[in-house]
Amino acid sequence: MSTVIEEPREETEIASEEETTELVGLLAEFEDIDAIMNAARGVRSAGFVRWDVYSPFPIHGIDAVMGIKPTILPWLVLGGGLSGLIGGLTLQWYVNAYDYQFMISGKPYWSLPANIPVIFECTVLLSALTAVFGMLMLNRLPMHYNPLFKSERFRRATDDRFFIAIDAQDAKFDEHDTAALLQSLGATAVETVED
Amino acid sequence: MSTVSSIFSSVGEIDNTTDDARQRAPLVLRGRGFSSITNSVSAIAERPTTLGWKIAFMFSLSLLGMLGACIGYLVTTGVGVWGNNQPVSWGFPIVNFVFWVGIGHAGTLISAILFLFRQNWRTGINRFAEAMTIFAVVCAGMFPGIHVGRAWLAYWLFPLPNQMTMWPQFRSPLLWDVFAVGTYATVSTLFWYVGMIPDLATLRDRSKSKIGQFAYGMFALGWNGSCRHWHRFERMYLLLAALATPLVLSVHSVVSFDFATSQLPGWHTTIFPPYFVAGAVYGGFAMVLNLAIPARKYFGLEDIITLRHIENCCKVMLATGMIVAYAYTLEFWTAWFGGNHFERFAFMNRAFGPYAWSFWVMVFCNVVAPQFLWVKKFRTNLLIVFIVAAFANIGMWFERFEIIITSLTRDFLPSSWYPFKPTPIDLMMLAGSFGLFFTLFLLFCRFLPVVAMAEVKSVMPQAHAHGNGEHGDHHKSDFQPDEHHRPGPGVEPSLTPA
């Protein structure tokens, strides 16, 4: 359950023993790009580490503002591509030049020019698979359960609104001070995220 | 009929095709905001099924049923149900295969090559062009699968260990084709699906029904729009684009090797790879236009798929069409200049032999028809563009017919010549493949986001920091040529937190 922070927090009294919830963090909503960029700078300079910005589309320039390090994905893709290259080469050598030799049209059993198209295709195939599944793995997707999804407001993160969520586990986190900081950065709404 | 004519009417169209050197033309019209994009695209998947869709779907489904029946008849009877013979052992199935693979080029070209070239207008059309690609490749892949004769042994195409300890033969271009088309189908599907994840998340978050939330939620993989996720996502997208760019050029090159590495006059030519690729892009963009022009009106997407998009596609068609025309000319010149008797005969036979009608249909559709696109008035007239694109599709089919059938019917020895005549099954399968294509395409239009919402939003002026006063302009009803460069009314946002 999530509540707006200004309201008196009554849930703890009402909630039954089974539904004890734990504070996961604070979620703040922003209206446009300038507001979210500005707020992201503020959150970062306030020293938070465990926080994130959520947006309906990739925001250009937010990586530098948030201090996101370049992903290692290109290196994984290079690895995938090289595996495809070696795999495609080895496959063709094994099946045509080693395991099942047969003469056709007087062509040599082992002929690199004839093998290049398939090597190329294998390289691209494994690179592409690595790019997609590597991205999902690094992003820890699929992850269908997320406490943020309990927020009705957060549904607009895939539509037209921008959000900052600060994790309660962050060393600098304080439910009231952090909420005040987010308000001062121009949040149109701040709410708690519980799990 | 009024609905049909309204597809091509210019009423309500905003002409954004004029260029102003001071700024980029807007990609989204009527000053729309982010939520307006979300609403108009999601509404297509969310609204109740319309009568028009049902009628179109029933029609496509019956064509698909006919295809299924034809395949059943083929498998139970044998390849004699086709008009294939000796020497024309490739016949309609391979003509259709090459035709559909060609159609399948525009989608990945738009998503990959135009992405690398920073052509932001691609965002309006890339999603459904990619879908079109995948469905065209499905149609294409089906034909070699049944053309092998004993379709239940089609798995012999793949290097799978088997009880005969037999392996495929990698020195054959036909096997390169298996890898090229297989890789292309896989990579195109990945590109399409992974690009759709953020939009599936949008549909998940908007969905009111349990089924919708579950189904979209499952395929959205829990996407939440995190900027750390977006960072890796964008990097992945760039890498996929860079990988798909040589891939899309390689696919039709490899398909052309099937012909070019043979000894047959009319096939044995080195110009085939670039010529096939240009033809594929030409035919693919024609299909994009044939689908986009009705779809944008029917789904009310005129502000997202604008006249400028249509005009740009026309320019690509014109450029690739001219390359194709050049290739046709050069083939004839080489046949004459090369001095090879058989080669000369093959080309004279194309233009004046028993199948000359197919050659002249092709020349009219692929060389004459696109010349209309030089004129801007025609490029922005939806009816003319639609007709030219339809001609291009017909012309590209006849190009493959002419290359395959005419060359095979008359090769070296007149004693081995034999004419080709398609059977009704041939024609029904061709029509049925359109049923398969349109059934898949209609399902896609009904249930999935037809426009890449997240990508369109990211190229809108509001998506850039220090936006120049675009915020709150959603009410604006018309586009002003200099509106993106007007200084905003608000104060510059402070760089430091208050």
Side-chain angles (χ1 to χ4, degrees):
Chain A
M1 277 306 293
S2 54
T3 46
V4 175
I5 196 92
E6 289 81 12
E7 288 170 11
R9 301 191 59 242
E10 293 167 350
E11 261 97 330
T12 35
E13 285 89 48
I14 299 165
S16 64
E17 287 79 16
E18 274 84 54
E19 288 179 31
T20 46
T21 54
E22 184 191 340
L23 183 68
V24 175
L26 282 170
L27 182 68
E29 180 183 320
F30 296 85
E31 282 214 327
D32 60 34
I33 288 285
D34 290 328
I36 193 77
M37 290 289 261
N38 191 25
R41 280 189 196 98
V43 171
R44 191 183 175 201
S45 56
F48 288 99
V49 192
R50 301 181 62 134
W51 64 290
D52 207 343
V53 173
Y54 300 86
S55 59
F57 53 84
I59 306 172
H60 291 282
I62 195 91
D63 300 354
V65 169
M66 289 173 68
I68 298 176
K69 290 199 204 83
T71 170
I72 59 157
L73 189 63
W75 295 104
L76 298 183
V77 173
L78 178 67
L82 288 174
S83 318
L85 190 146
I86 295 165
L89 190 66
T90 316
L91 172 75
Q92 294 179 83
W93 171 80
Y94 177 75
V95 305
N96 279 172
Y98 178 77
D99 192 49
Y100 187 65
Q101 287 188 337
F102 67 97
M103 179 57 67
I104 182 156
S105 311
K107 293 171 186 165
Y109 295 124
W110 173 237
S111 149
L112 200 57
N115 295 326
I116 284 183
V118 171
I119 293 173
F120 169 77
E121 302 297 342
C122 292
T123 309
V124 170
L125 181 64
L126 256 77
S127 307
L129 288 169
T130 316
V132 171
F133 291 101
M135 182 277 289
L136 293 177
M137 188 191 73
L138 292 171
N139 282 344
R140 292 168 210 278
L141 296 174
M143 186 170 69
H144 288 103
Y145 182 80
N146 188 331
L148 288 171
F149 290 157
K150 293 180 179 175
S151 163
E152 198 63 39
R153 198 184 293 281
F154 189 68
R155 296 191 172 187
R156 290 183 76 173
T158 55
D159 179 7
D160 63 341
R161 285 291 192 271
F162 308 88
F163 292 85
I164 288 183
I166 300 182
D167 196 323
Q169 303 294 313
D170 194 288
K172 294 247 176 194
F173 186 87
D174 174 274
E175 194 174 337
H176 291 282
D177 292 354
T178 307
L181 171 76
L182 288 167
Q183 292 281 11
S184 74
L185 289 170
T188 50
V190 180
E191 61 180 41
T192 55
V193 182
E194 284 163 27
D195 195 11
Chain B
M1 280 316 284
S2 62
T3 47
V4 173
S5 61
S6 73
I7 287 172
F8 305 112
S9 90
S10 58
V11 177
E13 294 281 357
I14 296 176
D15 183 9
N16 62 333
T17 56
T18 43
D19 281 305
D20 179 348
R22 289 168 298 170
Q23 57 154 88
R24 288 174 191 277
L27 295 164
V28 178
L29 298 178
R30 292 193 175 86
R32 289 199 178 212
F34 298 138
S35 62
S36 157
I37 299 289
T38 317
N39 289 335
S40 51
V41 177
S42 307
I44 299 165
E46 286 164 356
R47 67 184 182 182
T49 312
T50 56
L51 184 65
W53 186 89
K54 279 182 193 159
I55 293 169
F57 189 69
M58 288 317 293
F59 182 69
S60 314
L61 207 59
S62 35
L63 282 178
L64 175 61
M66 187 175 78
L67 176 71
C70 288
I71 293 178
Y73 179 52
L74 167 84
V75 169
T76 51
T77 312
V79 291
V81 303
W82 285 324
N84 298 17
N85 57 37
Q86 283 304 331
V88 190
S89 50
W90 276 11
F92 261 40
I94 302 301
V95 175
N96 297 340
F97 161 71
V98 181
F99 171 73
W100 280 115
V101 170
I103 300 284
H105 274 59
T108 311
L109 183 103
I110 290 169
S111 31
I113 299 182
L114 297 187
F115 178 81
L116 294 185
F117 285 152
R118 301 273 188 273
Q119 294 293 306
N120 286 340
W121 61 277
R122 66 181 268 289
T123 55
I125 52 171
N126 72 338
R127 172 68 42 73
F128 85 85
E130 285 169 32
M132 180 202 85
T133 286
I134 293 163
F135 306 146
V137 172
V138 168
C139 294
M142 179 193 77
F143 280 106
I146 55 175
H147 182 256
V148 294
R150 289 177 285 169
W152 54 96
L153 296 180
Y155 70 92
W156 286 6
L157 291 167
F158 303 102
L160 300 169
N162 54 59
Q163 75 280 13
M164 299 171 292
T165 68
M166 192 177 73
W167 291 106
Q169 209 267 97
F170 279 96
R171 289 157 292 177
S172 162
L174 297 179
L175 194 59
W176 306 346
D177 230 9
V178 173
F179 277 76
V181 175
T183 302
Y184 189 59
T186 314
V187 174
S188 303
T189 310
L190 284 175
F191 212 165
W192 178 66
Y193 170 64
V194 81
M196 200 156 54
I197 289 175
D199 292 343
L200 289 171
T202 304
L203 290 179
R204 171 199 68 198
D205 290 349
R206 288 170 57 94
S207 182
K208 302 277 186 292
S209 74
K210 277 273 170 236
I211 297 170
Q213 284 170 350
F214 178 79
Y216 290 127
M218 182 139 95
F219 289 102
L221 305 179
W223 181 264
N224 54 31
S226 153
C227 283
R228 296 173 200 277
H229 288 186
W230 276 122
H231 169 72
R232 299 191 188 97
F233 181 92
E234 283 205 289
R235 187 40 62 123
M236 178 274 317
Y237 207 83
L238 177 67
L239 286 164
L240 269 191
L243 290 164
T245 294
L247 182 67
V248 69
L249 299 178
S250 81
V251 180
H252 230 49
S253 300
V254 171
V255 170
S256 81
F257 291 161
D258 295 347
F259 304 95
T261 57
S262 77
Q263 304 288 337
L264 192 73
W267 286 9
H268 183 67
T269 126
T270 48
I271 200 179
F272 263 18
Y275 155 34
F276 267 51
V277 171
V281 173
Y282 173 72
F285 268 86
M287 190 59 108
V288 166
L289 285 168
N290 277 157
L291 294 174
I293 290 173
R296 65 195 280 273
K297 288 276 183 183
Y298 189 73
F299 296 128
L301 296 171
E302 294 101 320
D303 295 343
I304 300 171
I305 304 172
T306 65
L307 269 188
R308 195 180 182 86
H309 291 82
I310 304 287
E311 207 211 352
N312 283 347
C313 291
C314 289
K315 288 177 181 170
V316 175
M317 264 187 74
L318 179 60
T320 49
M322 291 306 287
I323 299 176
V324 168
Y326 172 74
Y328 294 164
T329 317
L330 198 69
E331 270 192 321
F332 271 84
W333 193 82
T334 312
W336 170 76
F337 189 69
N340 183 309
H341 178 73
F342 299 106
E343 191 77 10
R344 275 190 196 180
F345 172 77
F347 280 87
M348 289 309 281
N349 186 43
R350 272 188 196 177
F352 306 107
Y355 296 99
W357 57 273
S358 75
F359 175 81
W360 295 108
V361 166
M362 175 195 86
V363 168
F364 177 76
C365 292
N366 291 351
V367 181
V368 180
Q371 303 309 321
F372 284 96
L373 301 178
W374 287 105
V375 183
K376 183 168 177 181
K377 220 183 175 101
F378 295 147
R379 288 200 301 267
T380 50
N381 182 323
L382 295 174
L383 181 62
I384 290 182
V385 171
F386 190 85
I387 292 171
V388 169
F391 270 127
N393 275 313
I394 296 167
M396 287 313 292
W397 191 86
F398 275 101
E399 179 195 298
R400 281 67 180 247
F401 177 88
E402 180 243 87
I403 291 174
I404 292 173
I405 306 294
T406 318
S407 305
L408 282 172
T409 47
R410 294 185 167 186
D411 58 359
F412 301 96
L413 281 177
S415 60
S416 29
W417 291 359
Y418 200 79
F420 172 83
K421 195 167 174 289
T423 63
I425 297 290
D426 276 319
L427 300 171
M428 281 155 76
M429 276 197 173
L430 173 59
S433 68
F434 277 90
L436 173 60
F437 178 78
F438 280 109
T439 302
L440 293 169
F441 193 78
L442 286 165
L443 285 172
F444 159 74
C445 287
R446 176 69 192 86
F447 295 110
L448 293 173
V450 289
V451 171
M453 293 182 269
E455 288 191 57
V456 170
K457 288 174 195 168
S458 74
V459 298
M460 289 165 72
Q462 299 97 307
H464 301 285
H466 311 300
N468 300 324
E470 280 298 298
H471 317 297
D473 277 355
H474 309 300
H475 60 277
K476 204 183 270 181
S477 62
D478 210 345
F479 158 69
Q480 301 293 316
D482 63 338
E483 71 181 9
H484 302 137
H485 276 228
R486 271 189 219 144
V491 282
E492 195 71 358
S494 157
L495 293 181
T496 47

